[in-house]
Amino acid sequence: MEIRNCAISSLQALCDLSALRHLLLSACPAIADLRPVREMASLHTLALRNFDNIDLTPLADLQLQLFLSRASTFRGVDRLGPGVRVKWF
């Protein structure tokens, strides 16, 4: 699923999508909290693009492939556990 240039402020509604395996978020400036991702049990891949200073620590210790845009700024990359495989693009 791709969500681009969107004004949504919460990812909570996506938690009900039990088959969601891949999520791309791009230019969604109102999203400031990634904690709902912890409830997305089927999610294997998360890509974040065009974010400014978003905190990644809620993703710590998940089993997840995480794609991060070099054009964005992220906090907490150094605190992600070994199950979070980070790829920069």
Side-chain angles (χ1 to χ4, degrees), residues 1-9 23-31 47-51:
M1 172 182 280
E2 293 184 22
I3 300 175
R4 298 174 186 255
N5 303 314
C6 186
I8 64 169
S9 60
L23 179 60
L24 165 66
L25 300 172
S26 179
C28 301
I31 295 175
L48 301 172
R49 176 201 262 158
N50 298 326
F51 276 86

Side-chain angles (χ1 to χ4, degrees), residues 42-79:
S42 297
L43 193 68
H44 290 277
T45 306
L46 175 63
L48 301 172
R49 176 201 262 158
N50 298 326
F51 276 86
D52 186 30
N53 204 27
I54 194 164
D55 183 14
L56 300 177
T57 56
L59 307 178
D61 301 321
L62 294 180
Q63 297 295 314
L64 187 68
Q65 179 77 48
L66 182 60
F67 291 89
L68 301 175
S69 167
R70 294 186 189 278
S72 300
T73 55
F74 301 99
R75 291 180 286 122
V77 175
D78 59 330
R79 291 189 294 251

